Amino acid sequence: MGETSPYLLQHAFNPVDWHPWDAEAIERARREGKPLFVSIGYATCYWCHVMERESFEDPETAAVLNRLFVPVKVDREQRPDIDDVYMTACQVFTRMTDGRASGGWPLSVFVEPVTLKPFYVGTYFPPRSMHGRPSFRHVLESLAKAFVQRRGEVDAQAEQIANAVSAELSHAPPPQTLDASLAVDARTSLLQFHDRTNGGFGGAPKFPQPVYLELLASAASGDEASALALHRTLDAMASGGIFDQVGGGFHRYAVDAIWLVPHFEKMLYDNAQLASLYARSNDPLHHEIATRTCDYVLREMTDGDGAFFSAQDAEVAAREGGSYLWTPAEVEAACGDLAPVALKIYGLDRGTNFQDPHHSAEPPSNVLFLEGRPEQVAQRLGFDAVTFSTMRAEIDRRLLAARVQRQQPITDDKALTAWNGLMIAALAEVGMRLHRLDFVRAAARAAEAIDRRMTGDDGTLLRSSRDGRSAVPAFLEDYALLVKGRMALHRATGATEHLARAAALYDEALRLFSDPRGGCFDVRAGANELFVRPRSVSDGAMPSGNSVLLLNGLDLFAVTGDDRYRRELTRSFAGLSGVLRDAPISAALAIVAVARAADWAPEVLPRGETIDDDDVVRISVEPSEFPRVGDAASGTLVLRIADGWHVTASGSPGGIELSAGNAIVDPDMPRGDTWPDGSRVLRGTVRIPLRVRSMDRMLELSVRVQACDDSVCRAPRTFRIAIPLRD
């Protein structure tokens, strides 16, 4: 009961002996020789609730789980690092077993306790075998038996899955050229998936995918196809049931291809990103949607100190969409004399459109929607625009007043730094563009609340806060999105305090997360025990920290002109360029950054293998975490030295030097080539095997080098690398 996560607290009274993800649970599994069962979900996840009711609240199933496993609960929103690694494992595993990658929540992961590598991964398991899915109890018993009787096979499968996950999450192809053509190609490819009838991308289920819309918006002023696809999508979502026509704000996604019937949960991050997109349009309807979305967040998703809650549930009393659905009789009772018009405006005169798929015996009902833009509906019903708008506003007021009397969905009332950063940016932008100073003030108040809540004892950011308690060291996305929020406040207010705070957070992010290969890791060094330290540029429902940090760097460079931002952008674009070239659509927001850089700062973009003037030597280690036995660990230091340059070898004046505080580092130094003055030099790619003796879990390695070419030697430079030592 000491946890701050609403999701974990929901499971506190299950008969399952749940542990949080911590050293105690891992040690218990190792001591007892049991695998970990790691169940990952979040407080407003519908199928997480279903599996809890069916299995985790069942005493017999809980007894099997408690006897054979060490059960661990993880809130994916509080620990996105664990979720990212194990969700990737799910996609890898299902690709291996089913021929196609799949995933979702609840995520059910069976983990070997020594290495923490997953050996079997699934999502929802039913209480009884059905639709080709084995029963949960059968899965538990079969896997526990295999863990004991076929341990070699289990370990081999865990190793295979982990290797594939590591390759995917820490992949760093060689640098490639980046230019404006990459953004053009990415938009062209994206438009092939655009639904030209209903807007959005693909078929059912249909997600808003704001990062895709950002890619279109980045070119909308000069690209008619992108502008049309963006406008079509914004219109369709505004009219459909995915937008809460009565209360404002967007639901998570539509279960169909036409935006009509939503999956009813509401997420702060969706509403933040969509509010910004709608505000940037020149369309008055889109401005109305942006305003109503922000009004909804301030009304229902804001804590007393101004910070923002995370989500609202999809169900009420175990019924999907419980408070959002209507029957004609309920509309008539709520709207009185306006009921005949209300029924026509919101489509209830056309029959029902919703049947609960999980409770088929219940009578059908209606999701409210508009058949077209408001002016089209007004014309069809014979009203002028002003009369229709006034009448509809009164109908919405009456319906909302009636709706708040119903039982409401639960609100996940934890505040997350990253999600708050997105909402701060949205309110600042909407407020600036639509002249709503109250929105800008709300954004500034939230920023102050996050600074108060989320500053840890060491001065760095924390991830999550609830009920007066904050927890979990912040991740890259928390820093990146809070910088985004502060930069938006600076643009909206001109206040230098926001710029200064953004710059300080940006610098701190580089200190904690910087990857010597370029770009940043998602997790600070030593922050978790997993077998890989991810570095992602994948922009999904949430934009990646690396993508946002690229945009932040461009903003800071544009505002300050400080050359250090140019250097960092050059390093980051080069280090990430191979990944961006390989999969540009999956890194849509990073491609927006490429397009911006190509437009006004092309010097920061890599041209093939070109290395920035201040980066003629690059330092990395292989692997990113050194395996340790006792107090001894080993790995390889890698120097990549630009063509035409060299580094003096150890033993010669100005030669390479290694140190690591109190740790003992024994390098196997290469002899190098003989230079005309008799010294020994290193050129090209140099690998230096290292043997390390340290009782700490983290090695802080300092590497001092002096780079020279045929005519000049630069001042010596010291690189510092934090290397986790993993048992």
Side-chain angles (χ1 to χ4, degrees), residues 270-339:
D270 285 324
N271 284 284
Q273 293 174 90
L274 291 170
S276 293
L277 281 159
Y278 275 95
R280 266 178 249 142
S281 166
N282 294 321
D283 189 313
L285 169 62
H286 297 171
H287 292 174
E288 176 191 331
I289 297 299
T291 299
R292 294 187 65 198
T293 299
C294 292
D295 284 339
Y296 150 71
V297 169
L298 295 178
R299 183 182 70 243
E300 298 188 30
M301 296 285 284
T302 305
D303 209 344
D305 64 351
F308 304 116
F309 299 141
S310 295
Q312 289 180 318
D313 210 331
E315 66 174 23
V316 174
R319 296 297 186 268
E320 175 89 3
S323 68
Y324 298 107
L325 299 166
W326 296 86
T327 64
E330 289 169 332
V331 171
E332 289 167 352
C335 292
D337 60 315
L338 292 176

Side-chain angles (χ1 to χ4, degrees), residues 54 517 588 603 628 690 711:
E54 293 177 342
R517 301 169 298 180
E603 70 275 13
R628 181 170 67 175
L690 303 178
S711 58

Side-chain angles (χ1 to χ4, degrees), residues 129-346:
S129 298
M130 61 177 67
H131 309 306
R133 289 178 179 264
S135 72
F136 184 50
R137 201 180 305 180
H138 173 75
V139 170
L140 293 176
E141 292 170 342
S142 298
L143 292 176
K145 183 178 179 180
F147 186 79
V148 173
Q149 298 182 3
R150 294 154 49 203
R151 184 61 181 271
E153 295 177 34
V154 167
D155 289 348
Q157 182 156 294
E159 191 69 21
Q160 182 182 7
I161 295 170
N163 288 342
V165 171
S166 297
E168 192 161 324
L169 291 182
S170 61
H171 183 48
Q176 298 187 43
T177 297
L178 297 179
D179 54 33
S181 67
L182 182 61
V184 174
D185 292 344
R187 289 193 302 272
T188 300
S189 298
L190 181 60
L191 288 171
Q192 293 177 5
F193 299 99
H194 175 60
D195 182 341
R196 288 172 171 76
T197 302
N198 304 303
F201 305 93
K206 185 167 279 184
F207 290 79
Q209 296 176 297
V211 294
Y212 287 177
L213 300 179
E214 288 281 2
L215 181 56
L216 298 181
S218 68
S221 61
D223 178 357
E224 185 177 351
S226 292
L228 179 59
L230 175 64
H231 197 277
R232 181 187 289 125
T233 301
L234 295 179
D235 267 9
M237 289 194 298
S239 299
I242 192 173
F243 183 71
D244 180 354
Q245 299 293 338
V246 169
F250 287 87
H251 298 290
R252 181 69 192 93
Y253 63 87
V255 302
D256 49 50
I258 60 174
W259 307 107
L260 176 58
V261 176
H263 178 54
F264 289 91
E265 65 185 324
K266 288 180 172 179
M267 313 301 294
L268 182 68
Y269 58 76
D270 285 324
N271 284 284
Q273 293 174 90
L274 291 170
S276 293
L277 281 159
Y278 275 95
R280 266 178 249 142
S281 166
N282 294 321
D283 189 313
L285 169 62
H286 297 171
H287 292 174
E288 176 191 331
I289 297 299
T291 299
R292 294 187 65 198
T293 299
C294 292
D295 284 339
Y296 150 71
V297 169
L298 295 178
R299 183 182 70 243
E300 298 188 30
M301 296 285 284
T302 305
D303 209 344
D305 64 351
F308 304 116
F309 299 141
S310 295
Q312 289 180 318
D313 210 331
E315 66 174 23
V316 174
R319 296 297 186 268
E320 175 89 3
S323 68
Y324 298 107
L325 299 166
W326 296 86
T327 64
E330 289 169 332
V331 171
E332 289 167 352
C335 292
D337 60 315
L338 292 176
V341 179
L343 294 173
K344 293 179 180 179
I345 288 176
Y346 288 128

Side-chain angles (χ1 to χ4, degrees), residues 394-464:
E394 176 60 19
I395 288 170
D396 289 347
R397 187 193 67 77
R398 295 182 187 183
L399 289 173
L400 185 59
R403 196 172 81 181
V404 297
Q405 302 304 313
R406 302 174 176 179
Q407 183 177 349
Q408 296 300 300
I410 66 165
T411 296
D412 182 340
D413 59 353
K414 69 177 180 295
L416 296 171
T417 298
W419 300 14
N420 270 258
L422 268 176
M423 197 66 228
I424 290 165
L427 283 165
E429 181 170 11
V430 176
M432 177 183 68
R433 291 180 180 276
L434 305 187
H435 309 292
R436 287 288 300 264
L437 293 181
D438 56 329
F439 289 169
V440 178
R441 287 193 292 268
R445 183 168 177 251
E448 293 168 3
I450 292 301
D451 274 357
R452 285 194 303 270
R453 288 191 187 197
M454 302 297 193
T455 302
D457 293 339
D458 63 353
T460 65
L461 280 180
L462 297 173
R463 165 75 173 179
S464 176

Side-chain angles (χ1 to χ4, degrees), residues 342-415:
L343 294 173
K344 293 179 180 179
I345 288 176
Y346 288 128
L348 283 85
D349 61 333
R350 297 172 177 268
T352 57
N353 57 31
F354 181 84
Q355 176 69 60
D356 191 328
H358 313 298
H359 304 91
S360 56
E362 295 193 355
S365 55
N366 287 79
V367 176
L368 304 188
F369 74 101
L370 294 173
E371 191 171 16
R373 290 172 59 93
E375 63 267 25
Q376 294 171 326
V377 178
Q379 184 178 25
R380 188 169 62 251
L381 297 181
F383 296 106
D384 64 79
V386 174
T387 301
F388 178 81
S389 178
T390 303
M391 192 163 40
R392 183 184 168 211
E394 176 60 19
I395 288 170
D396 289 347
R397 187 193 67 77
R398 295 182 187 183
L399 289 173
L400 185 59
R403 196 172 81 181
V404 297
Q405 302 304 313
R406 302 174 176 179
Q407 183 177 349
Q408 296 300 300
I410 66 165
T411 296
D412 182 340
D413 59 353
K414 69 177 180 295

Side-chain angles (χ1 to χ4, degrees), residues 110 183 327 335 418 487 615 675 710 724:
F110 297 85
T327 64
C335 292
M487 290 302 294
D615 216 4
W675 198 246
D710 291 344

